[in-house]
Amino acid sequence: MKTTKNILFFFLMLTVFSVSAQKKKVAVVTFYANKVIDFSEIAGDKLTEGVVKKVFELRDNPKFNLQPILVKFHDAFYNDYAKSFPFDLVPEAEVTGSDAYKNFVPKYQMSKFDANDYLIYNGYKYIYDGPMGAANEEGMAKAMADAVKADGVMFVHIDFSFEKGFGIGGTSTLKVKAFTRISVYDKKGEKLFVINENERSKKTMMMVGGIPVLDVDKILPNCESAMEELMGDLNKRIQKIIKKTDNKL
């Protein structure tokens, strides 16, 4: 009889341990790239209509295709970087396929013109987070907690900017920097941590007369180079940041 009680106690404790050892779940709720390359550093006080026009012409140029970059980053994120998080990611199809996600109306809806700024990964919506973004953070956190039993939500996006290099007068070298922001909020929409990382391209371009040579055939390889550098050791950086962050989910 005593042996039977011991066995039952053992299995009870094993069950309790298994439940407590289960990882929390986080739902990725947006995944996109910004197609407008930030030119604030190179413009300085000489922001001209011509520079602005060229940047937006680049955005709208079909040859300026960031899709392969976004797909590559997305795949690395789910296949490699996700292993470093102290929680599991809810399968994408469960998130984007849920009625709660489909019916969610983000704050700061974009105009048709602004919508052209963003390349959004298949199935996701553009959902802003950050300063003044509490409505989206809290709204998505609650929606995903109810819909897919998520303990938190994650927002992921990448951006690019120009960086001026060595030069004389109005002629100088020019590089592209790639940025990623990965932010996590708990089920109440309270921020747990944000990962902000960036790297510059190994390739270079030229700026002549204070105006960048916005040739797609030169800029796109620089974007690709910058992302290669960023992705190269992002996993190591994520691991270090995670170790410094308390698991508050």
Side-chain angles (χ1 to χ4, degrees), residues 61-165:
N61 190 329
K63 292 179 64 179
F64 186 59
N65 182 15
L66 296 177
Q67 184 72 25
I69 293 176
L70 181 61
V71 170
K72 188 173 183 179
F73 181 64
H74 168 273
D75 293 349
F77 182 87
Y78 273 93
N79 296 331
D80 300 322
Y81 309 149
K83 296 175 183 177
S84 298
F85 295 121
F87 45 73
D88 291 326
L89 297 181
V90 178
E92 289 180 284
E94 292 184 23
V95 175
T96 59
S98 68
D99 289 337
Y101 188 81
K102 292 177 181 178
N103 297 331
F104 183 78
V105 180
K107 190 174 182 180
Y108 308 117
Q109 286 287 289
M110 297 180 293
S111 66
K112 289 184 178 180
F113 180 80
D114 291 334
N116 292 327
D117 292 356
Y118 302 100
L119 179 64
I120 305 167
Y121 192 84
N122 188 37
Y124 287 102
K125 296 180 178 184
Y126 169 82
I127 305 176
Y128 169 80
D129 81 296
M132 307 295 288
N136 288 338
E137 297 150 8
E138 294 171 6
M140 268 281 87
K142 184 180 186 308
M144 291 298 98
D146 294 339
V148 296
K149 308 303 179 187
D151 300 289
V153 291
M154 179 183 291
F155 297 72
V156 184
H157 73 264
I158 54 178
D159 300 90
F160 298 93
S161 72
F162 290 117
E163 182 180 67
K164 186 177 179 181

Side-chain angles (χ1 to χ4, degrees), residues 13-23:
M13 292 304 295
L14 182 62
T15 301
V16 171
F17 176 78
S18 297
V19 171
S20 63
Q22 288 180 354
K23 282 187 176 181

